[in-house]
Amino acid sequence: MIDICRINQLYEMKKLRSQDWFGKTGKDGFIYRAWMKNQGIPDDEFRGKPVIGICNTWSEFTPCNAHFRELAESVKKGVLEAGGFPVEFPVMSLGETLIKPTAMLFRNLMSMDVEESIRANPMDGVVLLAGCDKTTPATVMGACSVDLPSIVVSGGPMLTGHYRGKPIATSDIWRYKDAVRAGEMQQEEFRSVEECMCRSQGHCAVMGTASTMACMVESLGLSLPSNAAIPAADSRRKVMAQLSGRQIVEMVKNDRKLSDVLTREAFENAIIVNAAIGGSTNFVVHLMAIAGRIGIDLSLDDFDKLGSQIPLLANLQPSGDHFMEDFYYAGGLPVIIKALGEKLHNVITVNGHNLVDNCTDAECFNADVISPTLQDAFQQASGIAVVYGNLAENGAIIKPSAATAELMTHKGKAVVFEDIEDYHARINLEDLEVDETCVLVLKNVGPKGYPGMPEVGNMGIPPKLLRAGVKDMIRISDGRMSGTAFGTVFLHVSPESAVGGNLALVQDGDMIEVDVPNRKLNLLVSEEELAERRKSWSAPDLGYHRGYVNLYIKTVEQSDQGADLDFLKGKSGSTVTRDSH
Ligand code: FES
């Protein structure tokens, strides 16, 4: 129930931020209001209504977010119903599939756009419309650095694709790609899958990074319950947007800021939930970066300590069988939150109720998609494992639920690729000296080394091994992996090779030992030999000497810190100290 007396008291106590613009008299107030009125806005809109910014990551170059103008209209309806004044604004958008060299290079730039756009404009609260992978962390990171009342509305996943009677989605690209490389599928057939896979608006239809991010914001308490999984094409997605529009007005009235929701407990909840859904490895760098903005101390070890023993409760691709559409029909994230119950902190969310309390009525409608109890989990331990050793002194990560159990402990010879170009040039060669016991090593794909830490860590297996029936082998790099991918892949090696981590010193034929149960990743080469090799190592010069990329390379932190730019950590709040008018 809304406490009207309290709201009125708060309004009296606290002047709305937007009134520093629209509440002014004289020339300044005239200018602030008059130019807005060219959009046909009546004068009473400016007299003390909460101004709600709708931060829209719409772009036709971001197909996953291409329906967001329609979604923004639903948000506006909700804001108007609740007595607010909605104002939509654009920010940079990052389409995972098109942006070169990699969308991750621009996540931090986009977050700067979001931060400065929010702070510089007369708004009291913000609705963040996000969908494709980086658009969610970038908007949340930027909003955290301002810390106004904020709520996330996700765009929703695409409907499941169907090809020749078989359900398909993004994870199948990796399978079809290997089928082509193994000569089992022709190029023409491969092309004919395209329109069958992406048959509706929305983001990737598996528990890839976009869906993981949507689940992340719901488990952090930053969205209304059920936000994560409603398909983009489902009319209930618009309802979610409208209800969120109403809710943000209440949040402004109650002055519930991001920092009130994003406590240490909320981050712990997100880690536990991510483990239970078998979420993307990209979750790690994005959650770390968000924590850094809001001022919560989070370390790589938290992901292992809190998440690695959590049972897997969702049977979703890429780790399992089903799709996001099925996940929603089976009850969605509230069923998972209810099942996790006492493992979670019952802390406040954007709707003013606590996370677990929000989900007490959740029901599971398909136990093959979601396990409603911990006892019936699809795997007893899920989450992200963090390994250390002389090959990853500050850590590397692996997602055991997407890996091959027999490869969790292994010793094998390194087959080294100095960079992604070297990999592309040699991986298909028939005379490449490699067998299934080898360890593929890829250097210079970390935050600084690529730059931008692309999703290339799940290197394709050499065709001659594919033809021999090899489905998985160990791969190690300082890069990332698509949330839709799978395999025994060690990622985010830190320190990365471009800053002189031992990864830079690995040579063909070196023995590498992986031991996930004991959290070890070691290069079996003596310290003396490594010191000798280091003498002839020098940092690569990638030739970026100007612009944002130059700034990025100079200031980006390592992946175990979240790969944010060092000067963006923390927040500056919402106060604007200078006024040129
Ligand atoms: Fe946008 Fe997968 S490409 S979510």
Side-chain angles (χ1 to χ4, degrees), residues 62-65 94-97 131-133 158 170 202-205 209-211 484:
T62 307
C64 305
N65 299 13
L94 299 175
E96 198 63 31
T97 51
C132 198
D133 295 12
M158 284 184 238
T170 318
H203 58 67
C204 289
T209 302
S211 293
T484 62

Side-chain angles (χ1 to χ4, degrees), residues 414-428 432 434 439-445 459-460 462 476 497 503 506 508:
V415 176
V416 179
F417 302 97
E418 292 299 322
D419 51 36
I420 192 66
E421 288 75 21
D422 183 28
Y423 165 80
H424 286 310
R426 294 194 294 122
I427 192 67
N428 293 334
L432 182 71
V434 62
V439 175
L440 302 183
V441 175
L442 176 58
K443 302 177 183 177
N444 292 308
V445 290
M459 289 163 265
I476 300 174
S497 49
L503 184 65
V506 186
D508 276 333

Side-chain angles (χ1 to χ4, degrees), residues 148-316:
L148 287 177
S150 308
I151 191 169
V152 180
V153 177
S154 301
M158 284 184 238
L159 298 174
T160 309
H162 287 272
Y163 179 64
R164 295 189 169 177
K166 186 178 168 298
I168 57 166
T170 318
S171 297
D172 290 294
I173 295 173
W174 311 108
R175 296 185 187 98
Y176 290 134
K177 182 194 82 171
D178 280 348
V180 171
R181 294 174 74 232
E184 295 160 3
M185 185 186 236
Q186 299 308 306
Q187 277 295 344
E188 263 181 39
E189 187 185 354
F190 188 48
R191 182 154 183 166
S192 69
V193 179
E194 290 170 12
E195 60 267 26
C196 305
M197 182 171 292
C198 300
R199 68 185 182 96
S200 85
Q201 56 195 26
H203 58 67
C204 289
V206 298
M207 189 51 82
T209 302
S211 293
T212 297
M213 291 294 99
C215 291
M216 177 190 77
V217 294
E218 189 171 331
S219 57
L220 282 169
L222 293 184
S223 72
L224 293 180
S226 290
N227 168 67
I230 306 171
D234 193 307
S235 56
R236 288 166 286 189
R237 175 56 62 190
K238 285 186 183 167
V239 174
M240 172 60 61
Q242 189 164 337
L243 295 177
S244 302
R246 290 183 195 166
Q247 189 59 42
I248 187 66
V249 178
E250 291 306 312
M251 290 173 69
V252 171
K253 289 175 180 172
N254 290 302
D255 198 26
R256 185 172 302 117
K257 301 188 292 298
L258 277 169
S259 56
D260 297 321
V261 177
L262 290 177
T263 57
R264 164 87 198 177
E265 288 77 13
F267 282 90
E268 292 187 357
N269 285 343
I271 292 171
I272 293 166
V273 170
N274 187 63
I277 59 173
S280 159
T281 48
N282 288 320
F283 170 78
V284 178
V285 278
H286 297 322
L287 194 76
M288 297 277 284
I290 293 166
R293 294 296 184 96
I294 205 76
I296 299 293
D297 196 16
L298 208 60
S299 79
L300 216 46
D301 289 338
D302 288 320
F303 291 83
D304 200 324
K305 203 171 67 208
L306 295 163
S308 63
Q309 295 309 312
I310 296 295
L312 183 67
L313 301 179
N315 180 15
L316 299 172

